[in-house]
């Protein structure tokens, strides 16, 4: 009989831990809602004890999401488990996910504990979590560099204490598929109570084998896989959800299992996550890269036109990728715009629709034709900051061999603030003027990127900036057909985020 593989998404925990991927509460909530639409089984919403911000977002996600289990990570200590429980207790289906390392190197140098102490702590932590909730997951951190016999004892202990899921992480991305297969089969054979828990895997991608290792574990009997959208995560990331899910779907004949994922939500989810972290997919990234379904060579194009399956093993529609056709123009009425947004799967409130309508009409004035990508960019680039400052006006003067000048006017509550500044170029001048208004709130700009959404010289330019103040790094975004305006919007958006805490 075919097995159903549960998808445990850790984009908001392991994914968010990656440098440059931090998100604010509103962004995390939006991703959590999209993960629910994608129909993942478990959302790991964060690591509640790690910061007050993490606690708040796990709590908010727990109260919002109805159709997925919501989990918080906790080390194997009472304090961590208390925080995890407090954060997830409002969820319809809450889970505590507690972990301790089991490899010799971690036990000796990180934990400074003996193997017997780790066994005791495992039993105590799971039993403690179990007092709060019936749904408890236990992870043996660095399992793939652990002694298999000891790992089996730890897993058996965790299940005896009440763990309902036991997770076998390849924390440092060290394993190869054959080892993954062997360890899962070994645990299924040696752990006497293994049938009382789901077996999960959590593979990192340091050697580029996270997806292959995850799939090997599925073949060997794992029933839960932990992954992240776009493969985000510590260092080289985690197994990419879209790769694991589409491999299981496309090779159902080989794996003999299925997932509950609505694959048509894969592309929208991937785009939303990239937009929020201010990154784009490498063009050749499997499933979600721009070239994943592009056929350049004549012989391939000819083959696909004659019969799609000659060179395509999945269809773009399967992952919800819409053809980038022209969709709207200057004369499309409000009704056509509303209908198009609905067709894209968005359900907006009247107020939100008013905002998008205005933006799309404004774009129609600047751009000859509006494509699906333009609409997506406008919707994904919504302002998710507290909006302390808003751009009112700017005026820029620039010429070859002379410094640029920029006047910027921002609105803060009912106050209008205006400054003028010089700069090496128009964007530098604008940013200097904004720094004067905001009292140099941004201490360092770590990154500035611009990319055009579609071709053509009237394309939308999307700007992403990474701003630093103290220890905090935020992503600011702005989009316009005028790249100076997108640059200013991105900077103001980032500054508003810096002001959030
Ligand atoms: O990589 C890892 O081991 C983890 C655990 C905490 C599950 O992220
Ligand atoms: Zn991890």
């Amino acid at each position: 009989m075919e097995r159903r593989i549960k998808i445990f998404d850790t984009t908001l925990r392991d994914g968010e831990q990656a440098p440059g991927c931090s998100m604010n509460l509103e962004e995390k909530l939006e991703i959590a809602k999209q993960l629910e639409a994608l129909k993942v089984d478990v959302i790991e919403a964060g690591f509640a004890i790690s910061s007050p911000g993490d606690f708040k977002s796990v709590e908010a996600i727990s109260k919002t999401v109805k159709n997925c289990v919501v989990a918080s990570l906790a080390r194997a200590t009472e304090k961590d488990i208390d925080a995890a429980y407090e954060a997830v207790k409002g969820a319809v289906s809450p889970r505590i996910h507690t972990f301790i390392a089991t490899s010799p190197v971690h036990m000796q140098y990180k934990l400074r504990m003996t193997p017997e102490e780790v066994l005791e702590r495992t039993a105590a932590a799971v039993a403690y979590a179990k007092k709060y909730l019936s749904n408890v997951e236990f992870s043996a951190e660095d399992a793939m560099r652990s002694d298999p016999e000891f790992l089996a004892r730890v897993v058996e202990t965790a299940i005896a204490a009440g763990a309902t899921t036991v997770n076998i992480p390849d924390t440092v991305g060290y394993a190869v598929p054959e080892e993954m297969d062997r360890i899962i089969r070994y645990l299924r054979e040696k752990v006497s109570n293994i049938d009382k828990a789901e077996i999960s895997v959590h593979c990192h991608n340091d050697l580029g084998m996270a997806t292959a290792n995850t799939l090997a574990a599925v073949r060997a009997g794992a029933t839960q896989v932990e992954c992240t959208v776009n493969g985000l995560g510590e260092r080289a990331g985690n197994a990419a959800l879209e790769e694991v899910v589409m491999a299981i779907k496309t090779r159902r004949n080989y794996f003999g299992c299925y997932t509950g994922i609505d694959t048509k939500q894969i592309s929208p989810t991937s785009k939303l996550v990239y937009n929020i972290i201010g990154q784009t997919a490498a063009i050749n990234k499997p499933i979600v890269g721009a070239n994943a379904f592009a056929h350049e060579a004549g012989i391939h194009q000819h083959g696909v036109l004659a019969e799609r399956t000659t060179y395509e093993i999945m269809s773009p529609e399967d992952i919800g990728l819409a053809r980038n056709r022209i969709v709207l123009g200057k004369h499309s009425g409000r009704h056509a715009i509303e209908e198009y947004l609905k067709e894209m799967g968005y359900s907006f409130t009247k107020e939100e629709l008013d905002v998008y309508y205005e933006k799309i009409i404004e774009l129609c004035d600047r751009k000859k034709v509006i494509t699906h990508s333009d609409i997506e960019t406008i919707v994904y680039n919504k302002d998710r900051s507290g909006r302390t400052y808003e751009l009112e006006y700017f005026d820029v003067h620039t010429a070859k061999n002379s410094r640029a000048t920029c006047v910027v006017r921002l609105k803060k509550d009912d106050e209008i603030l205006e400054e003028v500044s010089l700069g090496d170029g128009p964007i530098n001048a604008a940013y200097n003027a904004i720094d004067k208004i905001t009292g140099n709130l941004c201490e360092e700009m770590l990154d500035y990127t611009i990319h055009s959404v579609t071709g053509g010289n009237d394309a939308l330019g999307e700007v992403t900036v990474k701003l630093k103040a103290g220890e905090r790094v935020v992503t600011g975004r702005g989009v316009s057909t005028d790249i100076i305006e997108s640059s200013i919007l991105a900077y103001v958006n980032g500054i508003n985020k810096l002001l959030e805490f």
Side-chain angles (χ1 to χ4, degrees):
M1 205 182 66
E2 285 198 320
R3 289 172 302 138
R4 184 176 184 289
I5 305 300
K6 291 192 175 147
I7 303 295
F8 175 116
D9 181 276
T10 182
T11 308
L12 297 172
R13 198 277 297 169
D14 218 329
E16 209 241 354
Q17 261 168 243
C21 292
S22 60
M23 306 166 197
N24 68 15
L25 176 62
E26 199 179 326
E27 292 167 332
K28 286 186 189 173
L29 267 173
E30 198 169 338
I31 291 181
K33 285 187 213 156
Q34 182 58 34
L35 291 172
E36 195 174 20
L38 182 64
K39 296 196 166 62
V40 304
D41 297 280
V42 185
I43 296 175
E44 185 162 56
F47 190 174
I49 201 154
S50 66
S51 72
D54 246 56
F55 183 92
K56 271 200 201 124
S57 48
V58 179
E59 194 178 38
I61 291 167
S62 298
K63 288 181 183 152
T64 307
V65 166
K66 303 287 175 239
N67 300 314
C68 313
V69 172
V70 179
S72 171
L73 189 65
R75 282 163 299 195
T77 68
E78 294 192 356
K79 227 168 132 217
D80 272 44
I81 294 169
D82 289 341
Y85 172 69
E86 284 304 316
V88 296
K89 69 180 182 197
V92 172
S93 312
R95 173 183 292 186
I96 295 172
H97 176 192
T98 185
F99 73 100
I100 192 163
T102 53
S103 64
V105 64
H106 276 234
M107 291 191 290
Q108 184 178 350
Y109 295 104
K110 188 181 84 173
L111 298 175
R112 297 183 190 285
M113 286 168 79
T114 64
E116 288 310 312
E117 286 169 334
V118 167
L119 273 170
E120 277 165 31
R121 183 71 77 79
T122 298
V126 174
Y128 188 73
K130 209 61 194 180
K131 280 198 223 151
Y132 285 129
L133 295 177
S134 56
N135 193 339
V136 173
E137 171 166 337
F138 170 78
S139 284
E141 193 189 10
D142 206 14
M144 294 309 292
R145 291 192 300 166
S146 304
D147 168 46
E149 250 177 67
F150 177 62
L151 181 64
R153 284 178 67 202
V154 174
V155 168
E156 195 163 87
T157 303
I159 298 174
T164 41
T165 302
V166 282
N167 183 35
I168 311 302
D170 182 20
T171 303
V172 290
Y174 180 74
V176 299
E178 286 79 1
E179 288 170 325
M180 214 68 214
D181 175 275
R182 217 180 305 138
I183 197 74
I184 299 299
R185 290 185 197 279
Y186 175 82
L187 293 173
R188 288 180 68 201
E189 194 188 311
K190 296 283 175 201
V191 175
S192 63
N193 50 7
I194 197 76
D195 56 321
K196 299 205 166 49
E198 300 261 0
I199 304 177
S200 170
V201 285
H202 173 115
C203 300
H204 278 268
N205 203 28
D206 298 66
L207 293 172
M209 285 187 277
T211 299
N213 286 338
T214 304
L215 294 169
V218 166
R219 276 276 286 181
T223 50
Q224 175 181 285
V225 295
E226 304 199 355
C227 41
T228 57
V229 176
N230 302 330
L232 298 186
E234 287 274 9
R235 307 179 309 279
N238 289 57
L241 179 147
E242 62 278 6
E243 293 176 16
V244 173
V245 167
M246 290 312 287
I248 290 175
K249 181 175 161 96
T250 309
R251 298 304 314 277
R252 194 162 172 166
N253 58 342
Y254 178 77
F255 290 106
C257 45
Y258 63 100
T259 71
I261 295 293
D262 176 359
T263 60
K264 289 201 177 339
Q265 294 293 335
I266 285 181
S267 176
T269 312
S270 164
K271 285 182 179 152
L272 175 70
V273 170
Y274 273 131
N275 181 274
I276 283 178
I277 60 168
Q279 292 177 20
T280 43
I283 52 170
N284 60 342
K285 188 162 169 50
I287 320 294
V288 296
N291 283 0
F293 292 93
H295 302 281
E296 190 63 32
I299 192 166
H300 287 203
Q301 287 177 350
H302 184 226
V304 169
L305 287 176
E307 166 53 42
R308 187 186 66 76
T309 56
T310 47
Y311 287 98
E312 260 185 22
I313 57 166
M314 303 165 269
S315 83
E317 287 78 16
D318 268 0
I319 61 152
L321 197 63
R323 307 270 174 203
N324 194 23
R325 57 202 162 92
I326 295 166
V327 291
L328 296 166
K330 211 178 167 119
H331 303 294
S332 314
R334 187 188 169 100
H335 183 68
I337 292 177
E338 280 186 26
E339 279 306 304
Y340 193 78
L341 289 170
K342 260 194 220 146
E343 244 180 67
M344 284 172 79
Y346 299 116
S347 53
F348 293 125
T349 60
K350 172 154 181 333
E351 290 68 37
E352 284 170 329
L353 271 172
D354 287 345
V355 173
Y356 291 126
Y357 177 70
E358 285 304 316
K359 287 192 174 172
I360 291 168
I361 289 300
E362 202 184 302
L363 185 61
C364 289
D365 277 337
R366 295 186 182 196
K367 206 171 175 289
K368 285 193 279 306
V369 289
I370 310 278
T371 64
H372 183 85
S373 302
D374 292 321
I375 307 267
E376 266 184 348
T377 306
I378 287 179
V379 173
Y380 288 140
N381 272 288
K382 82 173 199 209
D383 193 333
R384 302 178 186 90
S385 73
R387 304 192 89 193
T388 311
Y389 292 101
E390 279 180 67
L391 176 64
E392 280 277 301
Y393 166 86
F394 71 91
D395 183 359
V396 66
H397 290 272
T398 186
K400 191 166 165 26
N401 297 333
S402 77
R403 300 200 76 199
T405 327
C406 187
V407 179
V408 178
R409 195 182 300 149
L410 301 182
K411 190 170 158 198
K412 186 182 180 202
D413 303 322
D414 287 332
E415 207 183 346
I416 298 292
L417 305 154
E418 186 173 297
E419 285 291 348
V420 58
S421 196
L422 292 169
D424 293 335
I427 295 168
N428 182 237
Y431 286 4
N432 288 340
I434 295 171
D435 283 343
K436 281 190 192 171
I437 296 175
T438 58
N440 293 312
L441 192 84
C442 165
E443 289 164 16
E444 198 183 344
M445 178 175 297
L446 301 178
D447 197 20
Y448 169 99
T449 51
I450 181 160
H451 94 274
S452 89
V453 173
T454 49
N457 56 12
D458 59 357
L460 278 175
E462 194 174 19
V463 171
T464 303
V465 291
K466 299 260 180 220
L467 309 184
K468 187 162 190 257
E471 288 305 301
R472 297 196 55 229
V473 175
V474 297
T475 304
R477 281 175 305 270
V479 65
S480 167
T481 47
D482 174 338
I483 58 166
I484 305 210
E485 185 172 349
S486 353
S487 303
I488 295 176
L489 289 170
Y491 199 54
V492 172
N493 178 245
I495 284 175
N496 284 338
K497 287 187 173 174
L498 285 174
L499 283 165
E500 272 173 7
F501 294 95

